[in-house]
Amino acid sequence: MRQHNYFVYIATTSKKTVLYVGMTNDVAGRTQQHYENRKDPKSFTGRYKCYYLVYYERFQFVQDAIDREKEIKKWRREKKIKLIEEFNPSWKFLNWEVFENE
């Protein structure tokens, strides 16, 4: 049976002022896409330069990832920050880490 990978992730700006919650089946590719869209004012991540990965979690089933993304999106900023800091206490940008693991 094939292993599926779906990810819920949080990206931020260089100054960590904006949080973007998303879901994908290719976290490395999606963060690269956010970076490539950095000058596109029509996209949220482009408008806010929000392409630094600080959090992700993997799911086997797409519906679980969708449900989790919706859950996190409803949270207040403080709760999202707590989630990030439990996973990544120093808010290290993880973009290169996920590229290396692909």
Side-chain angles (χ1 to χ4, degrees), residues 46-99:
R47 186 169 44 253
Y48 293 100
K49 311 291 187 263
C50 194
Y51 47 81
Y52 296 99
L53 182 68
V54 290
Y55 174 85
Y56 62 93
E57 58 184 285
R58 191 193 74 75
F59 296 87
Q60 181 177 359
F61 301 107
V62 67
Q63 192 59 52
D64 293 341
I66 291 168
D67 293 344
R68 180 67 165 158
E69 177 195 25
K70 288 178 181 179
E71 175 186 19
I72 294 171
K73 281 187 173 189
K74 291 178 184 177
W75 291 356
R76 296 177 53 90
R77 179 179 175 84
E78 294 81 16
K79 192 169 180 179
K80 292 174 190 172
I81 288 171
K82 184 177 179 190
L83 179 69
I84 293 165
E85 289 178 347
E86 288 172 355
F87 177 81
N88 180 4
S90 65
W91 286 63
K92 175 183 170 191
F93 297 147
L94 305 172
N95 299 54
W96 292 113
E97 182 179 298
V98 296
F99 289 134

Side-chain angles (χ1 to χ4, degrees), residues 11-22:
T12 191
T13 62
S14 63
K15 295 184 180 181
K16 303 169 183 138
T17 55
V18 176
L19 300 176
Y20 175 85
V21 178

Side-chain angles (χ1 to χ4, degrees), residues 33-50:
Q33 187 178 39
H34 288 317
Y35 179 77
E36 291 169 1
N37 289 339
R38 69 189 179 280
K39 295 182 181 178
D40 180 3
K42 294 178 185 166
S43 76
F44 180 90
T45 57
R47 186 169 44 253
Y48 293 100
K49 311 291 187 263
C50 194

